[in-house]
């Protein structure tokens, strides 16, 4: 696989040390080129590259940057999302560990393009060690004058460039999946509970402390220096034209070599699993693959042939790229048990603001636990689908979809698995009797609903 | 007795200048309290509230929201086993139950000597190294039940965390035991 470009995680030993990074053209080639251009020209170059966000929504990065106001009346903030809590996703950790300075250089370039005053790197609390690594990298870069007021001595703008400096602060989270949602992350950074907020206003108008803010993923930022070095045009030719560049695929589950693989977008899913991750142990067949972290719709083993790993192609195949965390499950896997575990996660992580999500995730879990125990009724299959369907699109943030999608699509694609778990003969006379009698004017306390004994 | 010296309070004031409002240091202040005390008690919350210029109720809300902040005493070594999907596919449910049996404490429980506490955690971002167990901040990946027991025995005997099999972290970083 020598021909696949390694842009974010190159095979250079010791790259995490600032001296090694500098020796390989770090803090010079990419940022120097950015500095020779006007800030808006840097944004245009990123637009030209076709770079799309790596955090799950695959939103065009250059377009996002262009939403920021061009004037400097208000303070402007950049928030880098390193919360990475999606089950099956473990790519950002590799960047913290192996190439933190490229991340910092990417932040500097983005900050220059948007004329940011202060950038924050928010890293999840569980990554305590990695927080220290990034803090060390930031401190080293400060000491060399690559960040902060001394930037003005180090980087002399040429051509259209303007003089500029930015500060970077590393902020450690404390264990909450929901903080990975951009609006919740702002609530958390401001020192509160990580509760998502309603959009609009969008962060570019009113973000951190009411100031214009842009939120980008760690991997997105680390992809910026290569774009500046090679030019947007060349970058847009790597991988799939509609979603160009390289992705960090985190492959886990039933594969021989689980790990993070940097591959161009548009790589075949079967190649990611069989060639790079070494295939399924003992030559077993694949039953299910979740291609983008646990919140994305799962694919059946028979569906995988010809599926390409990029935003558009995966959408066409009936799933979503998400964070490119590929979870592989072999033919012996108990799908219901897996799904119950996924539902438990979203039930645990729902912040509780919106009723459909707070209550719905609990319903999903309880229903799935019935299936897991083999105590479900035939009508529970449709009830499960119905509950999932009624969460989607009715919540402030995307956690509603994240909880509902895996359940809804698993019911649709693996219905036979659910049918196997139905206990024959188990029925409730009239599940909606309370409602039907209420219409007749009866007091709710007078209604007797027969309860089926569950063993 | 206040937890923080005047100098430390001054350091927080410096840190607050890096944010748009003093309340943004709630998480950093609470982390420091937990590093020093092991958990966040009532008086500590009051102190944090004063430093961050927020009501105490706000601090209580934050402590109860985030899973990594403890509002009761936990063990010196906090053992965490992930049972989310990628780890589950590699048998982490058995690993968790084995570790639970060895320590003899329930989820979120603490051993009588105050040495260990246990938590069944959600995805820690080590899916490629499944199954995993974390002790404080240190990740032990691709471990068997026997290896997990050995680690717990070593920690119990020496009070130090052994080096993981897959250890790529910077050696010069200071050892953090969270306590």
């Amino acid at each position: 696989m020598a021909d696949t470009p390694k842009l974010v995680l190159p095979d250079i030993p010791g790259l995490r040390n600032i001296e090694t990074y500098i020796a390989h053209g770090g803090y010079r080639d990419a940022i120097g080129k950015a500095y020779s251009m006007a800030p808006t020209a840097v944004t245009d170059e990123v637009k030209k590259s076709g770079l799309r966000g790596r955090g799950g929504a695959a939103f065009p990065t250059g377009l996002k940057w262009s939403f920021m106001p061009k004037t400097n009346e208000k303070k402007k903030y950049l928030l880098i999302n390193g919360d990475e809590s999606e089950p099956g996703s473990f790519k950002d950790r590799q960047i913290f560990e192996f190439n933190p300075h490229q991340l910092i250089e990417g932040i500097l370039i983005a900050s220059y393009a948007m004329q940011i005053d202060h950038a924050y790197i928010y890293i999840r609390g569980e990554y305590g060690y990695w927080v220290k690594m990034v803090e060390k990298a930031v401190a080293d870069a400060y000491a060399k004058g690559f960040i902060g007021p001394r930037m003005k001595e180090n980087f002399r703008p040429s051509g259209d460039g303007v003089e500029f400096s930015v500060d970077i602060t590393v902020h450690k989270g404390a264990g909450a999946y929901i903080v990975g949602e951009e609006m919740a992350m702002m609530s958390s950074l401001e020192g509160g509970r990580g509760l998502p907020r309603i959009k609009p206003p969008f962060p570019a108008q009113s973000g951190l402390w009411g100031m214009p803010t842009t939120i980008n993923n760690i991997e997105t930022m680390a992809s910026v220096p290569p774009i500046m070095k090679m030019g947007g045009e060349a970058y847009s030719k790597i991988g799939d034209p509609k979603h160009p560049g390289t992705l960090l695929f985190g492959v886990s589950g039933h594969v021989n070599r689980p790990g993070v693989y940097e591959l161009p977008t548009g790589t075949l899913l079967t190649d990611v699993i069989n060639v790079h991750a070494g295939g399924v142990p003992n030559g077993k067949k694949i039953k299910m693959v979740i291609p983008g972290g646990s919140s994305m719709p799962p694919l059946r083993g028979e569906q995988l042939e010809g599926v390409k790993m990029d935003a558009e192609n995966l959408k066409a195949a009936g799933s979503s790229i998400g964070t490119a965390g590929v979870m592989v499950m072999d033919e012996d896997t108990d799908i219901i048990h897996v799904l119950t575990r996924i539902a438990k996660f979203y039930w645990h992580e729902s912040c509780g603001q919106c009723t459909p999500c707070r209550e719905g995730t609990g319903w999903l879990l309880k229903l799935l636990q019935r299936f897991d125990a083999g105590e479900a009724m035939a009508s529970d299959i449709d009830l499960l689908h119905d509950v999932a369907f009624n969460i989607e699109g009715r919540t402030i943030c995307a956690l509603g979809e994240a909880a509902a999608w895996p359940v809804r699509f698993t019911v649709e694609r693996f219905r036979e698995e659910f049918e196997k778990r139905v206990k024959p003969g188990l029925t409730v006379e009239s599940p909606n009797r309370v409602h039907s009698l209420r219409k007749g004017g009866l007091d709710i306390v007078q209604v007797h609903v027969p309860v089926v004994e569950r063993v | 007795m206040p937890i923080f010296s005047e100098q430390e309070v001054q350091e927080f004031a410096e840190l607050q200048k890096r944010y748009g409002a003093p309340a943004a240091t709630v998480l950093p202040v609470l982390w420091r309290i937990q590093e020093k005390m092991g958990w966040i008690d009532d008086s500590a919350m009051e102190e944090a509230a004063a430093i961050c210029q927020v009501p105490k109720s706000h601090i209580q809300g934050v402590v109860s929201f985030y899973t990594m902040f403890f509002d009761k005493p936990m063990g010196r070594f906090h053992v965490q086993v992930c049972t989310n999907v990628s780890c589950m596919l590699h048998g982490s449910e058995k690993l968790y139950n084995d570790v639970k049996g060895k320590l003899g404490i329930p989820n979120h429980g603490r051993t009588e000597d105050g040495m260990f506490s246990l938590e069944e955690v959600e995805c820690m971002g080590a899916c490629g190294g499944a199954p995993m167990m974390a002790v404080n901040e240190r990740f032990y990946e691709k471990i068997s039940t026997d290896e997990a027991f050995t680690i717990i025995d070593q920690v119990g005997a020496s009070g130090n965390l052994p080096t993981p099999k897959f250890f790529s972290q910077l050696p010069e970083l200071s050892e953090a035991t969270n306590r």
Side-chain angles (χ1 to χ4, degrees):
Chain A
M1 270 70 73
D3 53 335
T4 58
K6 300 263 186 286
L7 304 177
V8 177
L9 294 175
D11 296 325
I12 301 169
L15 198 59
R16 63 166 76 106
N17 298 316
I18 192 162
E19 300 299 344
T20 316
Y21 187 71
I22 292 170
H24 284 85
Y27 293 115
R28 190 188 66 219
D29 296 354
I31 198 165
K33 199 167 162 199
Y35 247 53
S36 70
M37 299 150 83
T40 47
V42 176
T43 306
D44 288 340
E45 198 66 30
V46 174
K47 271 188 191 169
K48 216 187 288 173
S49 75
L51 178 67
R52 295 171 67 164
R54 305 293 197 234
F59 192 83
T61 306
L63 188 62
K64 198 182 219 178
W65 292 7
S66 68
F67 294 154
M68 287 291 272
K70 304 289 176 289
T71 56
N72 289 330
E73 287 161 11
K74 287 180 174 175
K75 275 201 160 189
K76 287 189 271 189
Y77 296 108
L78 179 63
L79 179 52
I80 311 301
N81 188 341
D83 196 58
E84 182 163 75
S85 309
E86 181 80 21
S89 166
F90 50 108
K91 64 190 175 62
D92 294 346
R93 201 181 115 191
Q94 313 293 319
I95 297 173
F96 299 144
E97 187 166 341
F98 295 107
N99 207 356
H101 289 288
Q102 186 164 319
L103 166 67
I104 294 169
E105 195 172 358
I107 294 169
L108 294 176
I109 295 166
S111 300
Y112 173 74
M114 291 177 280
Q115 297 288 296
I116 298 290
D117 291 281
H118 205 123
Y120 301 96
I121 308 175
Y122 192 114
I123 303 174
R124 66 184 303 200
E126 287 87 344
Y127 285 179
Y129 260 110
W130 291 269
V131 170
K132 293 197 184 81
M133 271 177 224
V134 179
E135 276 174 348
K136 183 180 183 298
V138 169
D140 287 350
Y142 259 109
K144 294 261 181 196
F146 295 143
I147 314 173
R150 278 180 58 211
M151 281 174 79
K152 288 177 181 169
E153 301 160 27
N154 260 309
F155 300 120
R156 291 259 167 250
S158 56
D160 293 334
V162 290
E163 207 167 62
F164 167 77
S165 74
V166 64
D167 280 299
I168 298 179
T169 302
V170 180
H171 196 88
K172 184 182 177 187
Y177 167 76
I178 189 63
V179 170
E181 201 274 340
E182 58 176 16
M183 305 302 271
M185 178 163 282
M186 296 196 303
S187 303
S188 178
L189 190 94
E190 289 174 5
R193 294 163 77 97
L195 302 180
R197 308 168 187 174
I198 292 173
K199 291 187 259 190
F202 289 94
Q205 292 129 29
S206 176
L208 286 168
W209 305 289
M211 302 295 175
T213 304
T214 292
I215 298 148
N216 280 136
N217 182 260
I218 296 286
E219 191 188 345
T220 316
M221 282 296 109
S223 301
V224 170
I227 292 174
M228 294 316 297
K229 262 190 260 182
M230 67 171 68
E233 181 115 19
Y235 188 86
S236 71
K237 295 204 168 72
I238 301 168
D240 186 86
K242 284 184 179 157
H243 185 192
T246 58
L247 285 179
L248 300 182
F249 291 99
V251 191
S252 63
H254 293 142
V255 287
N256 282 316
R257 287 194 303 273
V260 171
Y261 299 92
E262 183 174 4
L263 300 167
T265 56
T267 305
L268 286 171
L269 177 54
T270 44
D271 279 357
V272 174
I273 296 168
N274 294 327
V275 179
H276 299 278
V280 181
N282 307 323
K284 285 192 178 160
K285 278 194 219 133
I286 296 171
K287 190 177 205 172
M288 178 160 110
V289 172
I290 306 178
S294 73
S295 66
M296 294 303 154
L299 296 170
R300 283 182 78 99
E302 308 92 82
Q303 266 181 303
L304 307 182
E305 215 52 58
V307 171
K308 286 182 177 174
M309 292 298 282
D310 61 76
E312 301 302 325
N313 282 313
L314 212 49
K315 207 168 153 187
S319 190
S320 186
I321 188 75
T323 52
V326 181
M327 295 157 115
V328 182
M329 287 155 238
D330 72 18
E331 55 189 302
D332 297 334
T333 311
D334 181 351
I335 300 289
I336 304 292
H337 195 56
V338 167
L339 191 63
T340 309
R341 188 64 189 84
I342 292 176
K344 187 179 166 201
F345 174 74
Y346 291 106
W347 167 74
H348 180 257
E349 300 294 346
S350 172
C351 81
Q353 273 193 109
C354 315
T355 313
C357 172
R358 184 187 62 236
E359 303 299 323
T361 49
W363 269 69
L364 293 179
L365 177 62
K366 283 177 195 159
L367 280 166
L368 280 163
Q369 281 172 340
R370 280 191 210 168
F371 282 101
D372 200 22
E375 288 288 330
M377 295 182 290
S379 63
D380 283 346
I381 303 176
D382 290 325
L383 182 61
L384 193 60
H385 190 273
D386 194 48
V387 172
F389 196 74
N390 277 299
I391 300 174
E392 283 178 59
R394 290 172 171 82
T395 52
I396 293 175
C397 80
L399 196 136
E401 278 80 14
W405 276 4
V407 176
R408 181 159 77 85
F409 285 96
T410 310
V411 172
E412 285 171 11
R413 289 174 186 162
F414 293 89
R415 200 179 170 96
E416 75 280 4
E417 297 281 334
F418 292 86
E419 283 164 354
K420 270 187 238 163
R421 298 299 182 91
V422 169
K423 192 173 185 182
L426 186 65
T427 51
V428 167
E429 268 179 41
S430 167
N432 283 327
R433 193 154 157 219
V434 174
H435 289 294
S436 57
L437 289 177
R438 252 173 143 177
K439 279 180 189 156
L442 263 174
D443 261 358
I444 198 147
V445 286
Q446 293 176 284
V447 179
H448 172 72
V449 181
V451 179
V452 175
E453 286 278 327
R454 292 189 187 282
V455 186
Chain B
M1 256 312 266
I3 296 166
F4 295 119
S5 65
E6 260 176 49
Q7 196 204 330
E8 285 169 307
V9 173
Q10 198 52 43
E11 279 170 29
F12 285 127
E14 283 300 312
L15 185 64
Q16 282 168 351
K17 289 180 189 158
R18 300 185 74 83
Y19 295 93
T25 49
V26 167
L27 261 55
V29 169
L30 290 177
W31 271 122
R32 283 282 290 281
I33 291 172
Q34 193 157 297
E35 277 162 25
K36 283 187 162 213
M37 315 299 291
W39 63 293
I40 301 163
D41 67 7
D42 206 58
S43 64
M45 286 192 205
E46 261 165 40
E47 206 173 324
I51 292 170
C52 304
Q53 301 166 34
V54 292
K56 190 182 155 199
S57 59
H58 181 94
I59 302 288
Q60 283 171 324
V62 170
V63 170
S64 63
F65 185 84
Y66 295 95
T67 53
M68 293 183 77
F69 290 139
F70 305 137
D71 56 3
K72 62 174 184 179
M74 295 300 255
R76 243 183 90 201
F77 295 95
H78 189 53
V79 180
Q80 302 143 80
V81 181
C82 167
T83 57
N84 212 305
V85 176
S86 295
C87 287
M88 194 181 93
L89 295 171
H90 288 277
S92 70
E93 286 176 330
K94 185 182 175 294
L95 177 69
Y96 170 71
N97 284 325
D98 291 345
V99 170
K100 194 172 161 185
K102 166 131 182 119
L103 293 174
I105 47 175
N107 194 13
H108 296 284
R110 186 171 74 138
T111 53
E112 267 172 31
D113 58 0
M115 200 63 170
F116 293 103
S117 49
L118 175 70
E119 189 179 356
E120 179 188 4
V121 290
E122 298 294 355
C123 187
M124 302 273 280
C127 315
M132 69 88 69
M133 174 176 89
V135 183
N136 295 347
E137 286 182 350
R138 189 163 275 192
F139 285 21
Y140 297 93
E141 300 179 52
K142 294 185 187 173
I143 58 165
S144 63
T145 293
D146 287 346
E147 286 166 322
F149 284 5
T150 311
I151 291 164
I152 290 168
D153 287 339
Q154 283 177 359
V155 171
S158 68
N160 290 316
L161 291 169
T163 305
K165 269 191 297 182
F166 301 94
F167 192 64
S168 49
Q169 294 143 17
L170 285 177
E172 67 263 34
L173 280 170
S174 63
E175 182 68 43
T177 55
N178 244 349
R179 302 290 179 270

